[in-house]
Amino acid sequence: VQLQASGGGLVQPGGSLSLNCVTSGSFISVDRMAWYRQGSENQRELVAAITYLGSSTYSDSAKGRFTISRGNEKMVYLHMDRLKPDDTAVYYCNADVRINYDGELRTFWGRGTLVTVSS
Protein backbone atom coordinates (compact mmCIF):
# COMPACT_ATOMS: atom_id res chain seq x y z
CA VAL A 1 0.00 0.00 0.00
CA GLN A 2 1.31 3.44 -0.94
CA LEU A 3 0.08 6.97 -0.37
CA GLN A 4 1.05 9.67 -2.84
CA ALA A 5 0.54 13.29 -1.84
CA SER A 6 0.74 16.22 -4.21
CA GLY A 7 -0.24 19.85 -4.55
CA GLY A 8 2.29 21.60 -2.34
CA GLY A 9 4.09 24.74 -3.39
CA LEU A 10 4.76 28.38 -2.68
CA VAL A 11 1.81 30.64 -1.94
CA GLN A 12 1.50 34.19 -0.64
CA PRO A 13 -0.05 34.93 2.75
CA GLY A 14 -3.83 35.04 2.41
CA GLY A 15 -3.76 32.73 -0.58
CA SER A 16 -5.20 29.26 -1.14
CA LEU A 17 -3.80 25.87 -1.98
CA SER A 18 -5.23 22.37 -2.37
CA LEU A 19 -3.48 19.12 -1.55
CA ASN A 20 -4.38 15.69 -2.89
CA CYS A 21 -3.51 12.22 -1.68
CA VAL A 22 -4.28 8.92 -3.35
CA THR A 23 -4.00 5.41 -1.91
CA SER A 24 -2.81 2.63 -4.18
CA GLY A 25 -1.88 -1.02 -3.90
CA SER A 26 -3.66 -4.13 -2.69
CA PHE A 27 -6.12 -3.68 0.15
CA ILE A 28 -9.74 -4.26 1.13
CA SER A 29 -10.82 -0.75 2.09
CA VAL A 30 -9.60 2.58 3.41
CA ASP A 31 -11.08 3.80 6.67
CA ARG A 32 -9.92 7.07 8.22
CA MET A 33 -7.69 9.41 6.21
CA ALA A 34 -5.92 12.42 7.59
CA TRP A 35 -3.45 15.21 6.96
CA TYR A 36 -0.59 15.96 9.34
CA ARG A 37 2.10 18.57 9.09
CA GLN A 38 5.60 19.05 10.38
CA GLY A 39 6.96 22.55 10.56
CA SER A 40 10.11 24.23 11.81
CA GLU A 41 9.54 22.95 15.36
CA ASN A 42 9.88 19.45 13.90
CA GLN A 43 6.82 18.06 15.63
CA ARG A 44 4.21 16.32 13.49
CA GLU A 45 0.72 17.54 14.29
CA LEU A 46 -2.73 16.54 13.10
CA VAL A 47 -4.32 19.09 10.77
CA ALA A 48 -7.56 17.34 9.81
CA ALA A 49 -9.04 13.86 9.58
CA ILE A 50 -12.05 12.32 7.88
CA THR A 51 -13.70 8.92 8.21
CA TYR A 52 -15.01 6.76 5.40
CA LEU A 53 -18.50 8.05 6.19
CA GLY A 54 -17.38 11.67 5.91
CA SER A 55 -17.17 12.70 9.55
CA SER A 56 -14.34 15.22 9.89
CA THR A 57 -12.26 16.80 12.64
CA TYR A 58 -9.87 19.75 12.55
CA SER A 59 -7.09 21.21 14.65
CA ASP A 60 -7.84 24.58 16.17
CA SER A 61 -5.48 26.26 13.71
CA ALA A 62 -7.22 24.65 10.72
CA LYS A 63 -10.83 25.23 11.76
CA GLY A 64 -12.59 27.72 9.54
CA ARG A 65 -9.75 27.92 7.03
CA PHE A 66 -9.10 24.34 5.87
CA THR A 67 -11.53 21.79 4.44
CA ILE A 68 -10.86 18.07 4.26
CA SER A 69 -12.87 15.89 1.89
CA ARG A 70 -12.92 12.44 0.33
CA GLY A 71 -13.17 12.17 -3.43
CA ASN A 72 -13.73 8.43 -3.21
CA GLU A 73 -12.55 5.71 -0.88
CA LYS A 74 -8.95 6.04 -2.05
CA MET A 75 -8.54 9.79 -2.18
CA VAL A 76 -8.42 12.62 0.32
CA TYR A 77 -8.15 16.34 -0.32
CA LEU A 78 -7.21 19.30 1.83
CA HIS A 79 -8.28 22.72 0.64
CA MET A 80 -6.54 25.52 2.51
CA ASP A 81 -7.72 29.14 2.50
CA ARG A 82 -6.34 32.30 4.13
CA LEU A 83 -2.93 30.72 4.49
CA LYS A 84 -0.47 32.18 6.98
CA PRO A 85 3.32 31.91 7.24
CA ASP A 86 2.77 29.68 10.28
CA ASP A 87 1.15 27.14 7.95
CA THR A 88 4.52 26.56 6.30
CA ALA A 89 5.33 22.88 6.77
CA VAL A 90 5.67 19.52 5.10
CA TYR A 91 2.18 18.07 4.87
CA TYR A 92 1.74 14.30 5.13
CA CYS A 93 -1.29 12.23 4.34
CA ASN A 94 -2.11 9.22 6.45
CA ALA A 95 -4.59 6.39 6.04
CA ASP A 96 -5.94 3.51 8.11
CA VAL A 97 -6.21 0.66 5.63
CA ARG A 98 -7.88 -2.74 5.98
CA ILE A 99 -5.35 -5.01 4.39
CA ASN A 100 -7.16 -8.36 4.54
CA TYR A 101 -10.57 -9.97 5.09
CA ASP A 102 -9.65 -10.70 8.71
CA GLY A 103 -10.18 -7.00 9.34
CA GLU A 104 -6.55 -6.19 10.07
CA LEU A 105 -6.08 -2.42 10.06
CA ARG A 106 -2.73 -0.79 9.36
CA THR A 107 -1.68 2.84 9.20
CA PHE A 108 0.28 4.09 6.21
CA TRP A 109 1.98 7.41 5.55
CA GLY A 110 2.74 9.30 2.37
CA ARG A 111 6.07 11.01 1.79
CA GLY A 112 4.89 14.53 2.31
CA THR A 113 4.52 17.63 0.22
CA LEU A 114 6.03 21.01 1.12
CA VAL A 115 3.79 24.03 1.57
CA THR A 116 5.56 27.37 1.88
CA VAL A 117 3.58 30.49 2.73
CA SER A 118 5.70 33.54 2.08
CA SER A 119 5.62 36.85 0.30
Side-chain angles (χ1 to χ4, degrees):
V1 176
Q2 291 187 328
L3 273 68
Q4 181 67 49
S6 61
L10 174 63
V11 61
Q12 291 190 341
S16 300
L17 201 63
S18 290
L19 306 180
N20 311 314
C21 178
V22 60
T23 311
S24 63
S26 179
F27 53 89
I28 306 303
S29 63
V30 182
D31 194 353
R32 172 186 176 273
M33 298 190 80
W35 288 96
Y36 288 73
R37 68 185 183 187
Q38 188 165 342
S40 58
E41 294 182 1
N42 227 25
Q43 289 200 337
R44 195 171 292 191
E45 61 173 354
L46 176 68
V47 175
I50 186 167
T51 68
Y52 176 74
L53 294 177
S55 176
S56 58
T57 58
Y58 296 90
S59 66
D60 286 342
S61 63
K63 263 179 211 172
R65 298 188 301 126
F66 295 2
T67 303
I68 190 170
S69 60
R70 298 280 289 263
N72 55 39
E73 181 187 36
K74 297 180 182 180
M75 298 192 69
V76 65
Y77 307 101
L78 185 69
H79 182 70
M80 303 180 288
D81 288 321
R82 302 196 302 279
L83 283 160
K84 308 172 185 178
D86 284 350
D87 296 316
T88 296
V90 177
Y91 284 71
Y92 297 89
C93 63
N94 158 294
D96 295 332
V97 180
R98 296 191 184 278
I99 60 168
N100 56 42
Y101 287 105
D102 292 332
E104 183 178 353
L105 204 63
R106 286 194 193 168
T107 299
F108 294 88
W109 291 87
R111 283 192 176 180
T113 184
L114 177 62
V115 173
T116 303
V117 185
S118 174
S119 54

